[in-house]
């Protein structure tokens, strides 16, 4: 209890910063689902909406950056409070990147409207996006409830998203090899799937920050992240170049 | 001069944190060039070295995270000093991501060894990587010399990298359409080019932090970033699906 502070306006500052990150998380959740729906339903208006909404997400990150710097400068937080403030700052960067990926997916969804659909692919992307959106929802719940176990569960589930992505990667390769007229559409779909997979990486990083806030330690295992397209594709037809 | 501090051990703390980011930047510069060289020279040992060196980059980010949190907790920096500390924290995240991309490129370089080379492509990737490495070098110099103009020049040069990437994207599409046996190798090369383009985005973000440290303001223009593959590819042969 040594570092327990008693200044109530300080508490209000901390609460306000944390409310902003939860609000930002909610907007990003919506963006994840809407970009995938726009793709599946071939809904240009919804795609346009996702692109427009990204500005609100970016503005929230700016606001969080300013608020956290202000809290540090005015309140000189230490120990657990400092962890909270720095983690909120990092989480806002993860959320901003996820919002960016959603915006890019929405742009590509617009382009894909001009091409013949690739059967089954947009449904598979939507299921992947749904898994990532649920991960984000749980990561935010874990933050609010200071639940390190739930945050760890989120981190573990990123593997499922990676597997979904790997399956799609192979599917797209096969489609392209079968018919070169599929190549352009499949390249775009592949980018979309990759962006969803990257969203999962950023949710994982966010869940790690939750664990850091709750326990004071980063999770042991190096988090899986970045570019993990399957490297061993040389058994696929046509790949011996 | 009001916020000018006089505690010399405080100065040493600030200097130490800034020395760490410059050191980390140097390792990342090397990683950028070496992964591209490993690809061009088909040098498996160099690729392996890039992968091994990424651990040192990650360790430096951890160290910077700990040091910056310690400086904030112990010294309660305000104004310009707080800007420096928070910027170093953000820059270390950008550098860590660039290091990750280099590692992933090195992995793919290893996979591509098992396939027939795609003529001219790895030289083009190396030129792109060289442009990004020079951007990073100048961004770090701009940080050391507190030179906002040079940092802005770095930001402007990211457009050239994007143009190099766009040219490669179209080239890979054409190769794939000409001969389906090129598809797998081109998918990997395309990912590599995309990763180099993303490195450029992170250098741009880092240069923006330099401007923030020097001027106290983020640059006006929303920075170009993220996924900017050309969306209008439907004039290419075979793309009407």
């Amino acid at each position: 209890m040594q570092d327990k502070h008693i200044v109530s306006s300080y508490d209000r500052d901390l609460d306000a910063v944390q409310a902003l990150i939860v609000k930002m998380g909610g907007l990003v959740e919506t963006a994840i689902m809407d970009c995938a729906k726009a793709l599946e339903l071939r809904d240009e208006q919804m795609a346009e909406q996702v692109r427009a909404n990204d500005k609100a997400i970016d503005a929230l990150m700016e606001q969080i950056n300013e608020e956290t710097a202000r809290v540090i400068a005015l309140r000189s937080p230490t120990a657990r409070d400092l962890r909270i403030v720095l983690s909120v700052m990092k989480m806002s960067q993860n959320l901003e990147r996820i919002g960016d990926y959603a915006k890019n997916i929405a742009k590509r969804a617009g382009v894909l409207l001009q091409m013949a659909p690739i059967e089954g692919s947009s449904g598979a992307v939507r299921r992947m996006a749904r898994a990532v959106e649920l991960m984000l929802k749980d990561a935010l719940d874990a933050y609010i409830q200071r639940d390190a176990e739930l945050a760890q569960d989120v981190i573990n589930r990123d593997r499922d998203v990676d597997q979904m992505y790997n399956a799609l990667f192979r599917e797209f390769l096969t489609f392209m090899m079968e018919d070169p007229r599929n190549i352009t559409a499949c390249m775009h779909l592949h980018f979309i799937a990759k962006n969803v997979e990257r969203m999962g990486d950023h949710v994982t990083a966010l869940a790690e920050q939750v664990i850091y806030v709750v326990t004071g330690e980063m999770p042991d295992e190096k988090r899986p992240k970045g570019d993990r397209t399957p490297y061993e594709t040389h058994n696929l037809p046509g790949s011996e170049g």
Side-chain angles (χ1 to χ4, degrees), chain A:
Chain A
M1 301 296 281
Q2 268 166 315
D3 59 65
K4 184 84 194 136
H5 47 75
I6 48 165
V7 190
S8 69
S9 65
Y10 179 17
D11 284 332
R12 276 201 301 274
D13 275 355
L14 269 188
D15 286 349
V17 163
Q18 294 185 86
L20 283 176
I21 200 80
V22 172
K23 181 179 171 188
M24 190 178 173
L27 290 186
V28 172
E29 267 189 63
T30 305
I32 296 173
M33 278 323 293
D34 285 356
C35 71
K37 272 192 226 156
L39 176 71
E40 189 173 25
L41 307 174
R42 296 173 83 84
D43 184 337
E44 198 158 14
Q45 219 171 348
M46 190 181 272
E48 181 50 45
Q49 194 58 50
V50 172
R51 290 152 71 173
N53 288 349
D54 191 52
K55 289 194 180 65
I57 293 171
D58 288 350
L60 268 171
M61 184 185 71
E62 291 302 323
Q63 198 184 343
I64 288 169
N65 269 333
E66 282 163 24
E67 282 298 305
T68 48
R70 199 180 62 83
V71 171
I72 292 172
L74 291 182
R75 310 288 184 187
S76 305
T78 57
R80 187 152 182 278
D81 291 343
L82 180 58
R83 279 211 303 276
I84 291 175
V85 173
L86 294 179
S87 292
V88 165
M89 187 178 265
K90 287 177 188 168
M91 288 192 285
S92 77
Q93 286 184 304
N94 291 124
L95 289 175
E96 190 261 353
R97 295 299 293 183
I98 298 173
D100 257 13
Y101 287 129
K103 186 181 71 180
N104 290 325
I105 289 172
K107 275 190 201 163
R108 280 184 203 280
V111 176
L112 280 163
L113 282 178
Q114 301 154 11
M115 302 174 195
I118 304 289
E119 209 187 328
S121 58
S122 62
V125 169
R126 202 242 314 130
R127 281 189 292 281
M128 237 179 116
R130 176 75 179 146
V132 171
E133 189 244 329
L134 286 176
M135 280 169 66
L136 177 56
K137 187 186 163 298
D138 285 349
L140 293 168
D141 282 349
Y143 183 72
I144 294 166
Q145 295 155 21
R146 300 291 192 259
D147 184 341
E149 212 169 308
L150 181 54
Q152 184 60 52
D153 182 56
V154 168
I155 293 169
N156 297 342
R157 274 147 59 193
D158 193 41
R159 281 195 205 114
D160 303 337
V161 175
D162 291 346
Q163 278 168 10
M164 289 178 184
Y165 165 73
N166 287 344
L168 269 174
F169 176 78
R170 288 169 198 282
E171 204 176 304
F172 292 144
L173 273 186
T174 310
F175 276 131
M176 287 193 277
M177 286 166 188
E178 276 172 9
D179 186 346
R181 285 172 301 176
N182 290 331
I183 286 178
T184 306
C186 279
M187 287 286 274
H188 285 294
L189 281 164
H190 176 228
F191 257 125
I192 288 174
K194 187 72 194 166
N195 283 349
V196 176
E197 189 259 353
R198 285 224 166 90
M199 286 176 173
D201 293 341
H202 282 279
V203 176
T204 299
L206 193 148
E208 286 182 336
Q209 290 298 321
V210 174
I211 292 177
Y212 177 63
V213 165
V214 178
T215 67
E217 302 276 340
M218 289 294 280
D220 262 357
E221 214 180 342
K222 178 105 183 79
R223 71 183 155 96
K225 75 189 158 190
D227 174 2
R228 276 165 301 156
T229 312
Y231 295 105
E232 290 77 27
T233 56
H234 44 280
N235 292 330
L236 282 167
S239 62
E240 294 298 335

